[in-house]
Amino acid sequence: MSATPAPQTRRAIAAAVLVPVIAALALWAFAWPAARTAPRDLPLGVAGPTAATAQVQERLKGAAGSEGAFDIHRYADEAAAREAIEDRTVYGAVVVGDDGPRLLTASAASPVVAQLLQQAVAGQIPADGAGLETVDVVPAPASDPRGAALNASVLPLALAGIAAGGVVTVLGLRGTRAVAALLGASALTGLAAAAIGHSWLEALTGDWWAEAAVLGLGTLAVGGAVAGLAALIGTAGLGLGAGVVMLFGNPFAGAASAPELLPEPAGFIGRLLPPGASATLLRSVSYFDGAAATGPALTLTWWAVLGLGAVLLGGALKNRTASAEEPVRTPALTG
């Protein structure tokens, strides 16, 4: 009898087991953060006289249904609180004045957080019959008040980066040619995405070229990582890079809400992966004049540099291996 069916049977069993495992992992990665969304040390400012703000701070401890929901920052007055919001130090602030408390928010930072603050603070801070006055210091663009366009850009950019890394690998490009292809594809992706998000949808309102650079850098960070892994460990690197980006980077990005609303360590991991860093950097560049852009910009730069470095290293190692395996030819003797 032939022994051929045995390996085929093992492969069939492996495939039957692997598919549900991947499906379960994907459901966990996407459903767990969504089901456990809640504020966790969410930066919130309190401004006004010390005695009044102390009472407000005490009331906010029980807000949002859990202890430690807010990380309270104290400011002397409303001007300082507004500056902190514009610098992306806090998501909002409660200002206590002679005319009663007011809530400052920034829907451009996160419409979900702005709405959460209105609900949580209004339930804890007493106001007059007219209700708690809310001021949107940095509003989301009128053409995209819910931030849907920016949130939706995370997955396409991740897919573009994976596609760029995959194409470079499949075509067999190595070394500087692979790097040039990744740089070109990322730059064109950034220009196209800026044309759609800024020029057409008007969902991005910052400097056009800065937004294009951010979108291109986010694509390069993913593409470089995928191509770099493939250059070092072979085609398995494509699956590994794509899996990390899709199963962890995308659901842990917090683009639709905020990293501080995700359960840990999802929020922490999301900040370190390209999709989350791209979303944060794009918000800073588009709505906050580049405030708090250094951290996510460095994160994306490191991913891009390490990925492109791995591409160059992998190409050099393959060239050296090919040279070592090439047979030595000796000239024939004539006499």
Side-chain angles (χ1 to χ4, degrees):
M1 296 181 61
S2 174
T4 304
Q8 293 180 351
T9 302
R10 287 195 294 268
R11 290 178 189 144
I13 294 174
V17 173
L18 185 61
V19 171
V21 168
I22 295 176
L25 181 61
L27 286 172
W28 166 80
F30 280 85
W32 171 55
R36 296 291 184 268
T37 298
R40 296 169 177 86
D41 291 326
L42 185 74
L44 177 65
V46 175
T50 303
T53 55
Q55 296 178 3
V56 170
Q57 185 172 347
E58 188 65 27
R59 287 179 174 272
L60 289 174
K61 287 183 178 180
S66 64
E67 188 74 20
F70 297 114
D71 177 20
I72 303 298
H73 298 243
R74 304 188 71 170
Y75 300 100
D77 51 27
E78 180 175 343
R82 283 176 174 266
E83 184 177 354
I85 293 173
E86 293 170 351
D87 290 341
R88 302 205 70 185
T89 303
V90 295
Y91 281 91
V94 179
V95 179
V96 182
D98 296 335
D99 54 350
R102 288 199 300 168
L103 174 64
L104 307 180
T105 63
S107 59
S110 171
V112 173
V113 171
Q115 184 178 10
L116 182 149
L117 289 178
Q118 293 180 38
Q119 297 172 350
V121 175
Q124 297 295 326
I125 307 301
D128 55 22
L132 183 67
E133 180 185 0
T134 302
V135 179
D136 199 347
V137 177
V138 187
S143 57
D144 187 25
R146 295 180 180 85
L150 188 145
N151 301 339
S153 68
V154 174
L155 180 58
L157 288 179
L159 291 175
I162 293 172
V167 169
V168 166
T169 303
V170 171
L171 292 179
L173 299 179
R174 297 180 185 176
T176 56
R177 291 180 179 177
V179 169
L182 289 169
L183 289 172
S186 300
L188 292 175
T189 300
L191 295 174
I196 294 173
H198 186 117
S199 303
W200 179 37
L201 298 177
E202 297 181 350
L204 305 177
T205 59
D207 180 78
W208 196 97
W209 291 104
E211 292 166 353
V214 171
L215 294 164
L217 180 60
T219 305
L220 181 63
V222 176
V226 171
L229 286 172
L232 292 178
I233 64 176
T235 54
L238 292 177
L240 178 60
V244 170
V245 171
M246 295 303 298
L247 293 180
F248 299 102
N250 190 44
F252 293 177
S257 54
E260 292 85 357
L261 298 187
L262 302 182
E264 292 298 344
F268 175 76
I269 294 173
R271 292 185 181 96
L272 300 179
L273 294 176
S278 297
T280 302
L281 182 57
L282 188 58
R283 283 190 188 278
S284 293
V285 169
S286 182
Y287 308 133
F288 293 88
D289 294 328
T294 303
L298 288 176
T299 299
L300 292 177
T301 301
W302 274 113
W303 274 98
V305 169
L306 292 177
L308 296 180
V311 170
L312 294 174
L313 177 61
L317 292 176
K318 289 179 180 178
N319 290 335
R320 180 179 299 178
T321 302
S323 299
E325 293 177 352
E326 185 176 350
V328 179
R329 297 180 180 179
T330 57
L333 298 177
T334 59

Coordinates of all heavy atoms in Angstrom, one line a residue, residues 11 22 83 100 103 119 142 195 220 296 318 324-326:
R11 N -2.0 16.8 7.0 CA -2.1 18.1 6.6 C -3.6 18.6 6.6 O -3.9 19.7 7.0 CB -1.7 18.3 5.1 CG -0.1 18.2 5.0 CD 0.3 18.3 3.5 NE 1.7 18.0 3.4 CZ 2.2 17.3 2.4 NH1 1.4 16.9 1.4 NH2 3.5 17.1 2.3
I22 N -7.3 30.2 14.4 CA -7.1 31.6 13.9 C -8.4 32.4 14.0 O -8.4 33.5 14.4 CB -6.6 31.5 12.4 CG1 -5.3 30.9 12.3 CG2 -6.6 32.9 11.8 CD1 -4.8 30.7 10.8
E83 N -5.3 75.3 27.0 CA -4.0 75.0 26.4 C -3.6 73.6 26.5 O -3.1 73.0 25.6 CB -3.0 75.9 27.1 CG -1.6 75.8 26.5 CD -0.6 76.7 27.1 OE1 -1.0 77.6 28.0 OE2 0.6 76.7 26.8
G100 N -20.6 78.9 37.9 CA -20.9 77.5 37.9 C -19.9 76.7 37.1 O -19.0 77.2 36.4
L103 N -17.8 72.3 31.2 CA -17.1 71.1 30.7 C -16.5 71.5 29.4 O -17.2 71.9 28.5 CB -17.9 69.9 30.6 CG -17.2 68.7 29.9 CD1 -16.1 68.2 30.7 CD2 -18.3 67.6 29.6
Q119 N -21.5 62.6 29.6 CA -22.4 61.8 30.4 C -21.9 61.6 31.8 O -22.6 61.7 32.8 CB -22.6 60.4 29.7 CG -23.3 60.5 28.3 CD -23.3 59.2 27.6 OE1 -22.6 58.2 28.0 NE2 -24.0 59.1 26.5
A142 N -16.7 69.6 10.4 CA -18.2 69.5 10.2 C -18.5 68.5 9.2 O -19.6 67.9 9.2 CB -18.7 70.9 9.7
A195 N -5.3 62.9 -0.8 CA -6.2 63.4 -1.8 C -7.6 63.0 -1.4 O -8.6 63.8 -1.6 CB -5.8 62.9 -3.1
L220 N 4.6 52.8 5.1 CA 6.0 52.3 5.1 C 6.4 51.5 6.3 O 7.1 50.5 6.2 CB 7.0 53.5 4.9 CG 8.5 53.1 4.8 CD1 8.7 52.3 3.6 CD2 9.3 54.4 4.8
P296 N 4.3 59.1 18.6 CA 3.9 58.3 17.5 C 4.8 58.4 16.3 O 5.0 57.4 15.5 CB 2.5 58.7 17.2 CG 2.3 60.1 17.8 CD 3.2 60.1 19.0
K318 N 21.4 36.7 1.5 CA 21.1 35.9 0.4 C 22.1 36.0 -0.7 O 22.5 35.0 -1.3 CB 19.7 36.2 -0.1 CG 18.6 35.8 0.8 CD 17.2 36.2 0.3 CE 16.1 35.8 1.2 NZ 14.8 36.2 0.7
A324 N 28.6 32.0 -2.2 CA 29.4 30.9 -1.6 C 29.0 29.6 -2.3 O 29.9 28.7 -2.4 CB 29.1 30.8 -0.1
E325 N 27.8 29.4 -2.8 CA 27.4 28.2 -3.4 C 27.7 28.1 -4.9 O 27.6 27.1 -5.5 CB 25.8 28.0 -3.3 CG 25.4 27.8 -1.8 CD 23.9 27.8 -1.7 OE1 23.2 28.0 -2.7 OE2 23.4 27.4 -0.6
E326 N 28.2 29.2 -5.4 CA 28.5 29.3 -6.9 C 29.8 28.4 -7.1 O 30.8 28.6 -6.4 CB 28.8 30.7 -7.3 CG 29.0 30.8 -8.8 CD 29.1 32.2 -9.3 OE1 28.8 33.1 -8.5 OE2 29.6 32.5 -10.4

